[in-house]
Amino acid sequence: MSDHHQLQRRTDAEGFENPGLEPHRPRLSDRDPAAAKRVELQVVALFGVSVLASIVGVAGFFLFPAGVSLGTLRVGNTVLGVGLGLGFLGIGLGAIHWAKALMNTTEQVEERHPLRSDPATRAAAVAALEAGLDDTRIARRPLLKGALASALVFAPLPVLVPLVGNLTPDWDISRFARTAWRNKPEGAPGRRLATDPDDVPIRAADVTNGSVFHVIPHRLGELEGEEEFLNEKAKAVVLLVRMDPSEMTISPGREDWSYHGIIAFSKVCTHVGCPVALYEQNTKHLLCPCHQSTFDLANEARVIFGPANRPLPQLPISVDDEGYLIATSDFTEPVGPSYWERLK
Ligand code: FES
Protein backbone atom coordinates (compact mmCIF):
# COMPACT_ATOMS: atom_id res chain seq x y z
CA MET A 1 0.00 0.00 0.00
CA SER A 2 1.50 3.41 -1.01
CA ASP A 3 2.07 6.33 1.32
CA HIS A 4 -0.75 8.24 -0.34
CA HIS A 5 -3.13 5.41 -0.54
CA GLN A 6 -3.26 3.71 2.72
CA LEU A 7 -6.15 2.67 4.81
CA GLN A 8 -5.67 3.92 8.29
CA ARG A 9 -7.55 2.73 11.28
CA ARG A 10 -7.51 5.18 14.09
CA THR A 11 -9.49 5.47 17.24
CA ASP A 12 -10.21 8.55 19.31
CA ALA A 13 -7.75 7.23 21.83
CA GLU A 14 -5.02 7.34 19.13
CA GLY A 15 -5.73 10.98 18.35
CA PHE A 16 -8.22 10.79 15.49
CA GLU A 17 -10.03 14.09 15.22
CA ASN A 18 -13.66 13.25 15.38
CA PRO A 19 -15.56 15.46 12.89
CA GLY A 20 -18.49 15.82 15.28
CA LEU A 21 -19.73 12.26 15.44
CA GLU A 22 -20.44 10.48 18.67
CA PRO A 23 -17.19 8.87 19.79
CA HIS A 24 -17.23 5.11 19.76
CA ARG A 25 -18.14 3.69 23.11
CA PRO A 26 -17.40 0.04 23.68
CA ARG A 27 -20.69 -1.87 23.89
CA LEU A 28 -21.56 -4.78 26.12
CA SER A 29 -21.17 -7.08 23.13
CA ASP A 30 -17.62 -5.72 22.63
CA ARG A 31 -16.65 -6.62 26.17
CA ASP A 32 -18.65 -9.72 26.92
CA PRO A 33 -18.49 -12.70 24.51
CA ALA A 34 -21.68 -14.12 26.05
CA ALA A 35 -23.54 -10.89 25.27
CA ALA A 36 -22.17 -10.95 21.72
CA LYS A 37 -23.45 -14.51 21.34
CA ARG A 38 -26.88 -13.42 22.58
CA VAL A 39 -26.98 -10.63 20.00
CA GLU A 40 -25.96 -13.09 17.32
CA LEU A 41 -28.84 -15.37 18.27
CA GLN A 42 -31.26 -12.42 18.23
CA VAL A 43 -30.14 -11.52 14.73
CA VAL A 44 -30.50 -15.14 13.65
CA ALA A 45 -34.02 -15.15 15.16
CA LEU A 46 -34.97 -12.04 13.17
CA PHE A 47 -33.69 -13.57 9.94
CA GLY A 48 -35.52 -16.74 10.90
CA VAL A 49 -38.77 -14.79 11.27
CA SER A 50 -38.15 -13.38 7.83
CA VAL A 51 -37.69 -16.87 6.33
CA LEU A 52 -40.81 -18.18 8.06
CA ALA A 53 -42.92 -15.20 7.01
CA SER A 54 -41.82 -15.59 3.40
CA ILE A 55 -42.72 -19.28 3.44
CA VAL A 56 -46.13 -18.52 4.97
CA GLY A 57 -46.70 -15.85 2.33
CA VAL A 58 -45.95 -18.27 -0.50
CA ALA A 59 -48.06 -20.98 1.16
CA GLY A 60 -50.97 -18.52 1.37
CA PHE A 61 -50.76 -17.99 -2.38
CA PHE A 62 -51.34 -21.71 -2.95
CA LEU A 63 -53.75 -22.34 -0.04
CA PHE A 64 -56.11 -19.53 -1.02
CA PRO A 65 -56.14 -19.52 -4.83
CA ALA A 66 -57.37 -16.34 -6.47
CA GLY A 67 -59.87 -18.01 -8.80
CA VAL A 68 -62.05 -19.69 -6.16
CA SER A 69 -63.97 -16.75 -4.72
CA LEU A 70 -63.59 -13.12 -3.78
CA GLY A 71 -63.14 -14.21 -0.14
CA THR A 72 -60.20 -16.52 -0.90
CA LEU A 73 -58.70 -13.88 -3.14
CA ARG A 74 -58.77 -11.42 -0.23
CA VAL A 75 -57.36 -13.90 2.29
CA GLY A 76 -54.70 -15.06 -0.18
CA ASN A 77 -53.64 -11.49 -0.93
CA THR A 78 -53.57 -10.63 2.77
CA VAL A 79 -51.41 -13.63 3.68
CA LEU A 80 -49.13 -12.97 0.73
CA GLY A 81 -48.81 -9.29 1.63
CA VAL A 82 -48.22 -9.89 5.34
CA GLY A 83 -45.69 -12.64 4.55
CA LEU A 84 -43.85 -10.40 2.13
CA GLY A 85 -43.92 -7.48 4.56
CA LEU A 86 -42.68 -9.48 7.54
CA GLY A 87 -40.08 -11.15 5.33
CA PHE A 88 -38.49 -7.81 4.48
CA LEU A 89 -39.06 -6.39 7.95
CA GLY A 90 -37.19 -9.32 9.51
CA ILE A 91 -34.24 -8.81 7.17
CA GLY A 92 -34.21 -5.07 7.85
CA LEU A 93 -34.42 -5.35 11.64
CA GLY A 94 -31.86 -8.17 11.70
CA ALA A 95 -29.42 -6.15 9.60
CA ILE A 96 -29.85 -3.04 11.76
CA HIS A 97 -29.43 -4.99 15.00
CA TRP A 98 -26.36 -6.73 13.58
CA ALA A 99 -24.81 -3.46 12.48
CA LYS A 100 -25.53 -1.64 15.71
CA ALA A 101 -24.60 -4.34 18.18
CA LEU A 102 -21.91 -6.42 16.52
CA MET A 103 -20.20 -4.58 13.71
CA ASN A 104 -17.07 -2.58 14.23
CA THR A 105 -17.89 1.12 14.58
CA THR A 106 -14.32 2.33 14.49
CA GLU A 107 -13.82 5.36 12.23
CA GLN A 108 -11.94 4.55 9.06
CA VAL A 109 -10.14 7.14 7.02
CA GLU A 110 -8.86 6.52 3.52
CA GLU A 111 -6.47 9.18 2.36
CA ARG A 112 -6.53 10.00 -1.30
CA HIS A 113 -3.58 10.82 -3.43
CA PRO A 114 -3.38 14.52 -4.45
CA LEU A 115 -5.63 15.37 -7.40
CA ARG A 116 -3.23 18.01 -8.71
CA SER A 117 -0.83 16.81 -11.42
CA ASP A 118 2.89 17.40 -11.12
CA PRO A 119 4.30 20.68 -12.57
CA ALA A 120 5.78 19.06 -15.69
CA THR A 121 2.45 17.45 -16.65
CA ARG A 122 0.59 20.70 -16.13
CA ALA A 123 3.12 22.68 -18.18
CA ALA A 124 2.82 20.14 -21.01
CA ALA A 125 -1.01 20.43 -20.92
CA VAL A 126 -0.89 24.22 -21.07
CA ALA A 127 1.62 24.10 -23.94
CA ALA A 128 -0.62 21.70 -25.86
CA LEU A 129 -3.65 23.98 -25.36
CA GLU A 130 -1.71 27.04 -26.49
CA ALA A 131 -0.43 25.23 -29.55
CA GLY A 132 -3.96 24.21 -30.43
CA LEU A 133 -5.22 27.75 -29.98
CA ASP A 134 -2.42 29.09 -32.12
CA ASP A 135 -3.30 26.53 -34.76
CA THR A 136 -6.79 27.95 -35.05
CA ARG A 137 -5.31 31.42 -35.85
CA ILE A 138 -8.23 32.78 -33.88
CA ALA A 139 -6.18 35.40 -32.08
CA ARG A 140 -5.19 36.95 -35.38
CA ARG A 141 -8.65 36.75 -36.96
CA PRO A 142 -11.09 38.79 -34.85
CA LEU A 143 -13.80 38.53 -37.50
CA LEU A 144 -13.73 34.77 -37.25
CA LYS A 145 -13.75 34.99 -33.48
CA GLY A 146 -16.80 37.29 -33.51
CA ALA A 147 -18.66 35.08 -35.97
CA LEU A 148 -18.00 32.00 -33.88
CA ALA A 149 -19.10 33.74 -30.68
CA SER A 150 -22.31 34.94 -32.39
CA ALA A 151 -23.03 31.47 -33.72
CA LEU A 152 -22.54 29.98 -30.26
CA VAL A 153 -24.86 32.55 -28.70
CA PHE A 154 -27.61 32.11 -31.28
CA ALA A 155 -27.47 28.33 -31.74
CA PRO A 156 -29.22 27.43 -28.45
CA LEU A 157 -32.01 29.98 -29.00
CA PRO A 158 -34.30 27.64 -31.01
CA VAL A 159 -34.32 25.38 -27.96
CA LEU A 160 -34.34 28.02 -25.22
CA VAL A 161 -36.95 30.40 -26.59
CA PRO A 162 -39.79 27.85 -26.91
CA LEU A 163 -38.75 26.39 -23.58
CA VAL A 164 -38.89 29.70 -21.76
CA GLY A 165 -42.02 30.67 -23.71
CA ASN A 166 -43.80 27.53 -22.58
CA LEU A 167 -42.70 28.08 -19.01
CA THR A 168 -44.20 31.50 -18.99
CA PRO A 169 -47.30 31.23 -16.85
CA ASP A 170 -50.44 31.10 -18.92
CA TRP A 171 -52.96 30.81 -16.17
CA ASP A 172 -56.04 31.43 -18.23
CA ILE A 173 -57.51 28.24 -16.87
CA SER A 174 -60.99 29.31 -17.94
CA ARG A 175 -60.19 28.32 -21.52
CA PHE A 176 -60.29 24.67 -20.42
CA ALA A 177 -63.90 25.30 -19.45
CA ARG A 178 -64.79 26.67 -22.88
CA THR A 179 -66.29 23.86 -24.92
CA ALA A 180 -68.76 23.50 -27.77
CA TRP A 181 -71.61 23.69 -25.24
CA ARG A 182 -71.20 27.47 -25.14
CA ASN A 183 -72.53 27.81 -28.69
CA LYS A 184 -76.26 27.61 -29.20
CA PRO A 185 -78.78 28.48 -31.91
CA GLU A 186 -79.91 32.09 -32.03
CA GLY A 187 -82.65 32.69 -29.45
CA ALA A 188 -82.58 29.12 -28.12
CA PRO A 189 -82.42 28.58 -24.36
CA GLY A 190 -79.47 26.24 -24.77
CA ARG A 191 -77.79 23.67 -26.98
CA ARG A 192 -79.45 20.30 -27.32
CA LEU A 193 -77.81 17.12 -26.14
CA ALA A 194 -77.49 14.51 -28.89
CA THR A 195 -76.42 10.90 -29.34
CA ASP A 196 -73.04 10.12 -30.85
CA PRO A 197 -72.46 9.49 -33.74
CA ASP A 198 -76.05 9.74 -35.01
CA ASP A 199 -76.54 13.26 -33.71
CA VAL A 200 -80.10 12.60 -32.60
CA PRO A 201 -81.38 15.07 -29.97
CA ILE A 202 -82.39 13.37 -26.75
CA ARG A 203 -85.75 13.89 -25.10
CA ALA A 204 -85.88 13.83 -21.33
CA ALA A 205 -88.74 11.31 -21.60
CA ASP A 206 -86.41 8.87 -23.40
CA VAL A 207 -83.95 8.77 -20.52
CA THR A 208 -85.28 6.13 -18.19
CA ASN A 209 -84.12 5.55 -14.66
CA GLY A 210 -80.73 3.82 -14.62
CA SER A 211 -79.97 4.52 -18.27
CA VAL A 212 -76.61 5.90 -19.42
CA PHE A 213 -75.90 7.88 -22.58
CA HIS A 214 -72.70 8.98 -24.21
CA VAL A 215 -73.66 12.46 -25.37
CA ILE A 216 -72.26 15.21 -27.56
CA PRO A 217 -73.56 18.67 -28.48
CA HIS A 218 -76.19 18.63 -31.24
CA ARG A 219 -74.73 19.97 -34.49
CA LEU A 220 -75.48 23.58 -35.28
CA GLY A 221 -75.03 23.29 -39.05
CA GLU A 222 -73.92 26.56 -40.60
CA LEU A 223 -73.46 28.22 -37.23
CA GLU A 224 -70.48 26.07 -36.42
CA GLY A 225 -68.10 24.72 -39.04
CA GLU A 226 -67.47 20.99 -39.29
CA GLU A 227 -63.79 21.42 -38.47
CA GLU A 228 -64.52 23.61 -35.46
CA PHE A 229 -67.04 21.07 -34.21
CA LEU A 230 -64.66 18.13 -34.58
CA ASN A 231 -61.93 20.05 -32.76
CA GLU A 232 -64.26 20.79 -29.88
CA LYS A 233 -66.13 17.50 -29.75
CA ALA A 234 -63.67 15.51 -27.63
CA LYS A 235 -63.62 18.17 -24.95
CA ALA A 236 -67.40 18.49 -24.83
CA VAL A 237 -68.37 14.85 -24.54
CA VAL A 238 -70.50 14.06 -21.49
CA LEU A 239 -72.08 11.08 -19.81
CA LEU A 240 -75.79 11.40 -19.18
CA VAL A 241 -77.41 9.29 -16.49
CA ARG A 242 -80.71 9.23 -14.71
CA MET A 243 -81.28 8.24 -11.12
CA ASP A 244 -83.86 8.77 -8.44
CA PRO A 245 -83.57 12.47 -7.41
CA SER A 246 -83.90 11.41 -3.76
CA GLU A 247 -80.56 9.57 -4.12
CA MET A 248 -78.74 12.68 -5.28
CA THR A 249 -76.80 15.13 -3.18
CA ILE A 250 -77.10 18.60 -4.67
CA SER A 251 -75.03 21.48 -3.40
CA PRO A 252 -76.35 25.07 -3.25
CA GLY A 253 -76.25 26.77 -6.63
CA ARG A 254 -76.69 23.52 -8.54
CA GLU A 255 -80.36 22.98 -7.86
CA ASP A 256 -81.30 23.68 -11.51
CA TRP A 257 -78.36 21.84 -13.09
CA SER A 258 -80.26 18.56 -13.39
CA TYR A 259 -83.71 17.62 -14.63
CA HIS A 260 -85.79 15.10 -12.69
CA GLY A 261 -82.73 13.06 -11.78
CA ILE A 262 -81.08 13.41 -15.20
CA ILE A 263 -77.51 14.64 -14.77
CA ALA A 264 -74.58 15.12 -17.12
CA PHE A 265 -70.88 15.03 -16.29
CA SER A 266 -67.79 15.49 -18.41
CA LYS A 267 -66.47 12.16 -19.66
CA VAL A 268 -62.88 13.38 -19.61
CA CYS A 269 -61.18 12.04 -16.49
CA THR A 270 -59.74 14.72 -14.25
CA HIS A 271 -56.65 12.60 -13.69
CA VAL A 272 -54.95 12.45 -17.09
CA GLY A 273 -57.90 12.63 -19.44
CA CYS A 274 -59.01 9.09 -20.26
CA PRO A 275 -62.70 8.64 -21.08
CA VAL A 276 -64.53 7.52 -17.94
CA ALA A 277 -67.14 5.06 -19.01
CA LEU A 278 -67.72 2.18 -16.62
CA TYR A 279 -70.91 3.03 -14.76
CA GLU A 280 -72.26 0.82 -12.03
CA GLN A 281 -75.96 1.41 -11.74
CA ASN A 282 -76.38 0.03 -8.20
CA THR A 283 -73.70 2.12 -6.56
CA LYS A 284 -73.90 5.09 -8.99
CA HIS A 285 -70.14 4.87 -9.27
CA LEU A 286 -68.32 5.73 -12.45
CA LEU A 287 -64.90 4.16 -12.99
CA CYS A 288 -62.07 5.38 -15.16
CA PRO A 289 -60.45 2.32 -16.76
CA CYS A 290 -57.00 3.90 -16.97
CA HIS A 291 -56.02 4.20 -13.30
CA GLN A 292 -59.22 3.26 -11.51
CA SER A 293 -60.29 6.69 -10.35
CA THR A 294 -63.87 6.26 -9.17
CA PHE A 295 -66.45 9.03 -9.14
CA ASP A 296 -69.70 9.05 -7.19
CA LEU A 297 -72.32 10.42 -9.59
CA ALA A 298 -74.97 10.61 -6.86
CA ASN A 299 -72.65 12.98 -5.03
CA GLU A 300 -71.77 15.38 -7.85
CA ALA A 301 -69.08 13.05 -9.19
CA ARG A 302 -66.83 13.41 -6.17
CA VAL A 303 -63.69 11.27 -6.25
CA ILE A 304 -64.04 8.31 -3.91
CA PHE A 305 -61.03 6.35 -5.08
CA GLY A 306 -57.97 6.69 -7.25
CA PRO A 307 -55.49 9.33 -8.34
CA ALA A 308 -57.92 11.96 -9.71
CA ASN A 309 -58.05 14.88 -7.31
CA ARG A 310 -61.22 16.70 -8.29
CA PRO A 311 -64.76 15.76 -9.34
CA LEU A 312 -65.84 15.45 -12.94
CA PRO A 313 -67.23 18.83 -14.05
CA GLN A 314 -71.01 18.88 -14.24
CA LEU A 315 -72.83 20.24 -17.26
CA PRO A 316 -75.91 22.28 -16.28
CA ILE A 317 -78.90 20.84 -18.15
CA SER A 318 -82.63 21.41 -18.50
CA VAL A 319 -85.28 20.87 -21.18
CA ASP A 320 -86.57 23.12 -23.93
CA ASP A 321 -90.18 23.72 -24.92
CA GLU A 322 -90.25 20.53 -26.97
CA GLY A 323 -88.95 18.36 -24.13
CA TYR A 324 -85.43 17.97 -25.50
CA LEU A 325 -82.54 18.07 -23.09
CA ILE A 326 -80.41 21.16 -23.44
CA ALA A 327 -77.24 22.47 -21.83
CA THR A 328 -78.20 25.75 -20.23
CA SER A 329 -74.57 26.89 -20.20
CA ASP A 330 -71.07 25.66 -20.81
CA PHE A 331 -69.14 23.93 -18.04
CA THR A 332 -68.38 26.29 -15.21
CA GLU A 333 -64.99 24.74 -14.48
CA PRO A 334 -62.19 23.30 -16.61
CA VAL A 335 -62.70 19.84 -18.06
CA GLY A 336 -59.96 17.24 -18.18
CA PRO A 337 -56.70 16.74 -16.33
CA SER A 338 -55.99 18.97 -13.37
CA TYR A 339 -52.21 19.35 -13.74
CA TRP A 340 -52.67 23.12 -13.67
CA GLU A 341 -53.86 22.85 -10.08
CA ARG A 342 -50.37 21.73 -9.11
CA LEU A 343 -48.78 24.61 -11.01
CA LYS A 344 -50.89 27.31 -9.41
S1 FES B 1 -56.97 8.98 -16.42
FE1 FES B 1 -58.59 8.40 -15.20
S2 FES B 1 -57.71 7.58 -13.47
FE2 FES B 1 -56.04 8.18 -14.64
Side-chain angles (χ1 to χ4, degrees):
M1 208 177 288
S2 74
D3 285 351
H4 291 311
H5 212 153
Q6 56 185 303
L7 187 66
Q8 295 180 338
R9 289 185 171 226
R10 304 178 187 170
T11 64
D12 291 347
E14 290 165 347
F16 172 72
E17 282 190 30
N18 190 313
L21 302 172
E22 277 279 298
H24 175 65
R25 293 199 184 85
R27 302 153 299 194
L28 184 61
S29 57
D30 292 329
R31 298 189 302 265
D32 179 3
K37 190 70 194 169
R38 270 201 307 280
V39 171
E40 184 183 346
L41 290 177
Q42 288 161 359
V43 173
V44 168
L46 284 167
F47 288 158
V49 168
S50 166
V51 171
L52 269 179
S54 301
I55 291 172
V56 169
V58 173
F61 176 77
F62 290 106
L63 289 175
F64 307 101
V68 175
S69 72
L70 201 56
T72 54
L73 173 67
R74 280 204 192 106
V75 176
N77 278 347
T78 306
V79 175
L80 191 63
V82 170
L84 200 65
L86 286 179
F88 282 110
L89 188 69
I91 293 174
L93 291 178
I96 291 170
H97 194 36
W98 184 359
K100 284 198 158 292
L102 286 180
M103 286 188 185
N104 188 358
T105 59
T106 309
E107 294 288 349
Q108 296 186 354
V109 179
E110 183 180 13
E111 289 183 0
R112 304 186 61 133
H113 62 80
L115 293 176
R116 189 183 166 97
S117 306
D118 60 68
T121 308
R122 281 185 291 130
V126 171
L129 279 176
E130 282 173 355
L133 199 62
D134 193 47
D135 239 13
T136 63
R137 310 277 193 273
I138 204 161
R140 276 169 278 156
R141 295 185 194 279
L143 191 61
L144 201 59
K145 193 159 55 174
L148 175 63
S150 308
L152 289 176
V153 167
F154 279 82
L157 292 186
V159 175
L160 292 178
V161 170
L163 195 67
V164 173
N166 285 340
L167 288 177
T168 308
D170 177 3
W171 301 133
D172 179 17
I173 302 304
S174 62
R175 69 200 158 104
F176 296 125
R178 285 197 292 276
T179 70
W181 293 109
R182 71 185 183 281
N183 302 326
K184 59 181 181 179
E186 189 83 30
R191 187 165 186 170
R192 284 180 174 171
L193 279 64
T195 55
D196 185 27
D198 312 329
D199 192 31
V200 177
I202 303 169
R203 286 178 188 276
D206 295 335
V207 185
T208 52
N209 221 345
S211 55
V212 187
F213 286 81
H214 165 95
V215 168
I216 56 168
H218 184 42
R219 302 281 176 95
L220 296 180
E222 299 285 291
L223 294 172
E224 185 181 58
E226 182 70 6
E227 196 180 332
E228 185 188 348
F229 179 77
L230 290 178
N231 283 341
E232 294 268 334
K233 182 179 158 186
K235 215 164 68 166
V237 66
V238 295
L239 199 81
L240 188 75
V241 299
R242 184 166 198 166
M243 63 182 74
D244 189 332
S246 66
E247 295 176 298
M248 293 165 50
T249 303
I250 300 174
S251 55
R254 292 195 180 191
E255 294 86 353
D256 57 353
W257 283 22
S258 56
Y259 181 78
H260 294 291
I262 304 175
I263 37 177
F265 293 97
S266 168
K267 260 191 88 170
V268 189
C269 183
T270 51
H271 178 219
V272 288
C274 286
V276 284
L278 306 171
Y279 179 61
E280 193 179 40
Q281 195 183 329
N282 289 345
T283 58
K284 315 284 184 289
H285 291 171
L286 181 63
L287 178 83
C288 176
C290 287
H291 313 100
Q292 282 72 53
S293 282
T294 309
F295 304 87
D296 182 4
L297 295 198
N299 199 7
E300 297 179 344
R302 302 238 183 287
V303 182
I304 55 168
F305 180 78
N309 66 358
R310 71 184 178 100
L312 296 169
Q314 185 174 354
L315 184 71
I317 56 169
S318 185
V319 290
D320 61 16
D321 296 343
E322 297 172 53
Y324 287 104
L325 288 165
I326 53 166
T328 52
S329 80
D330 203 346
F331 291 101
T332 59
E333 57 182 314
V335 296
S338 311
Y339 61 88
W340 42 266
E341 280 207 326
R342 298 192 181 100
L343 300 173
K344 273 196 280 192

